[in-house]
Amino acid sequence: MSVSAAGGVTRVPAVEGWFTLGDEPHLIGCRCAACGTYVFPPRSGACPNPNCDSEDLVPTPLSRVGTVWSYTENQYAPPPPYRAAEPFEPYALAAVQLDEEGIIVLGQVPKGIMAADLKVGMPMQLETDVLYREVVDGVDTEFMVYVWAPAGPTAAKSIGGRS
Amino acid sequence: MSDRDLVVLGVGMHPWGKWGRDFTEYGMVAARAALKDAGIEWKDVEYVAGADTIRNGYPGFIAGSTFAQKLGWTGASISSNYAACASGAHSLQAARASILAGFCDVAMVIGADTTPKGFFAPVGGERKTDPDWLRFHLLGATNPVYFAMFARRRMDLYGATSEDFAQVKVKNSRHGLSNPYARFRKENAIEDVLNSPIVSDPLRLLDICATSDGAAAMIVTSRAFAEKKLGSLKGVPRIRAVSTVTPTYPQTILELPDFATDSTAVVAPPARGFKESLCWAAYEEAGMSPSDMNMAEVYDLSTALELDWYEHLGLCAPGEAEGLLRSGATTIGGRVPVNPSGGLSCFGEAIPAQAIAQVCELTWQLRGQAQGRQVEGAKAGITANQGLFGNGSSVIVSV
Ligand SMILES: [Zn+2]
C-alpha cells in the first residue's frame, strides 16, 4: 500500500498491514471469528485465548481513540534498527488503552508533543507520522508509522503541519 | 525439612564489572569458588545446568557443555537454558527437577556474561516479523522506555516523586558499598540521581541499571547427599521454592518487548498479574507468606521497578511502596531489607548470571557471611526477577 503525497514523495507504511494511511488512519488488529477476542499486531494462526482453539483470525480496524495508560520521552537516540534523525530530537511515546478492544497499544507521539503534555487517562487519537525518509529505487519515499496524538481540544496542535 | 527442598551446598561469584573478556573466564572463577565453598571436587558434579548468553556466539548458546568442557569432561549430564533475565533461575529449576526426579544428587548451576556498551539492542539483521526487532525499528522502544512507563504510572496514580525513585538508588548504593562482588561501590546522594541526565522521562541515568560482565555459580544437592556430607543440615540454606510461571491470559500490563497487551474483551483479567503470580507461586510452593520473609533480592532494572516489586511481593499494598521505602523498612536494619546486596543498582545486569547471583546473596545472608551488609538474624528470603517474553522467576531460600 502506498499513498502519493504532494511534492512527488511517496508514502508507504514502515511495516506492512499494521495500520492504514490517509485522513482517518486506524490500526489493523485481528479479531477471532469464534470467541471475539482481539489481538494486535495482526497475525495469522492460533487465537491467543487459551480457551479457544480457533485459527480464524480476521483482520479488523481498531478504535482510533483511547486513553493514556502511560507515557515517556526518549532523551537519547535509540540504537539501530531505529533510524534516528541527526541531530536527534527527543520524542515521546504513549501506551494507549482502547476500551472496546480491551488492549493497550504502544506507539510514538507526534514530534513536538512531549511527556509534559501528557497525563495518564488523557484521550488520544490515532494519526500517522514520518518515521524516516529514503530514496528507494529512485523514488523519494517517506516511511510512515502510526502515532498517538492528544485528542480533543489539543488535537489541532498534534496534526498541524502534517496534513 | 521437606523432601522437596534442595540444599545449597556452595555458592561463588566473579565480581561484576566491564572488561569485555571471554565470558567463560568469569564463569570458571565462579565455578571454582562454588566448588570450594561446597567442599566438593568438580568430579563429584553429576549435572551442569548452564544459563545461556546470546551475545557470545555458539559457546554462549550451550553454556552447560561449554562449562563442562572447560572444567574438563567428566561425563556429567548437562542442560543449557535461555529464559532472558530469568535464565539463571530456569537453570536452577532444571537442576532441581533432575535432583528431585532422582536422576542425580549433585548439580552445578552456572551463568556468565560479557555485555556490549550502552543500550541493549536487538540481535543483528533485518527481521520484520520479530517483535523485539520491530519495537526498536518502529518505535525506538528501548528497555528504559518500558521501565519509564511503569515509573510514570507510579507518579500519576500514586503520587510518587523523582525523589522517591532517587531514594531507592541512595539506599541500594549504601547496601552495596562493602559488597566485594558489586561493580559500583560509591555512595550516591539524592542530588546525584536528580542531577544525572534524563534517559527516558521520568527516569534518569542513575535510576536505570547498567549492563555488566559477571558470573555466578552454585552447587545444589539432594538432602540425602548433603546429610551424608555434613551430618547435620541445621543452619544450612535450602531452596524451598522455585517459581518460573508464565503469564495467564489476558496479560494486561504492557511488558517488554510487546507492542500491545492481550485483550480483555472476552476473558476477564486474572486475579493476579504476571509479576504477582511469579511471587505467589513461590510462596504457595514453600508454604510461606510475605510476613515470613526477612529480606528480598528483587530485579531493580530501574529504581521505580524496585517499588513495584514491594507490591508484587506482598510486602505492602498497591500504592504503598513509597511509604514503605520512606519508613526505612526496606533498608538494612528495617523490617524486610530489599536488595541488601546493592541490587542491580550496584551490580548492573549480567543476564544469565543475575538470577543465580540473587540466590548467592540470600545464601550468604542466611549463613551470616554477608560482611558489611548483613541482615541480622535472617531466616528466610525471596528473590524476584523478570525478563522479556513472559520469562521470570522467584526463589525462596531459608534455613
Ligand atoms: Zn478465539
Side-chain angles (χ1 to χ4, degrees), chain A residues 37 69-70 72 81 91 101 106, chain B residues 139 149 153 201 249 259 263:
Chain A
T37 200
W69 179 79
S70 195
T72 181
Y91 67 95
E101 294 84 358
L106 179 62
Chain B
L139 306 180
M149 285 195 292
R153 276 183 72 76
D201 177 274
Y249 186 87
F259 279 84
S263 165

Side-chain angles (χ1 to χ4, degrees), chain A residues 27-114:
Chain A
L27 294 172
I28 303 168
C30 280
R31 187 161 199 211
C32 176
C35 75
T37 200
Y38 292 87
V39 61
F40 180 83
R43 67 186 210 185
S44 55
C47 171
N49 176 359
N51 311 306
C52 173
D53 62 4
S54 166
E55 302 212 336
D56 194 3
L57 295 178
V58 183
T60 186
L62 301 185
S63 304
R64 286 192 67 211
V65 293
T67 51
V68 171
W69 179 79
S70 195
Y71 56 96
T72 181
E73 182 180 299
N74 273 339
Q75 288 285 337
Y76 287 88
Y82 188 73
R83 303 170 65 129
E86 287 181 34
F88 175 72
E89 289 286 337
Y91 67 95
L93 295 108
V96 171
Q97 189 151 16
L98 306 181
D99 279 346
E100 190 182 323
E101 294 84 358
I103 62 173
I104 298 164
V105 179
L106 179 62
Q108 290 199 27
V109 169
K111 297 172 191 76
I113 298 173
M114 308 312 283

Side-chain angles (χ1 to χ4, degrees), chain B residues 306-369:
Chain B
E306 176 170 315
L307 297 172
D308 285 348
W309 281 119
Y310 295 179
E311 298 166 6
H312 301 319
L313 280 166
L315 304 181
C316 64
E320 292 178 0
E322 287 76 14
L324 191 71
L325 172 76
R326 291 181 204 130
S327 77
T330 59
T331 304
I332 292 174
R335 173 170 68 80
V336 54
V338 175
N339 285 329
S341 69
L344 296 181
S345 166
C346 294
F347 276 75
E349 190 185 14
I351 295 174
Q354 212 69 46
I356 303 172
Q358 291 183 317
V359 180
C360 292
E361 176 66 12
L362 293 188
T363 301
W364 284 316
Q365 291 285 352
L366 293 168
R367 289 174 179 169
Q369 295 174 331

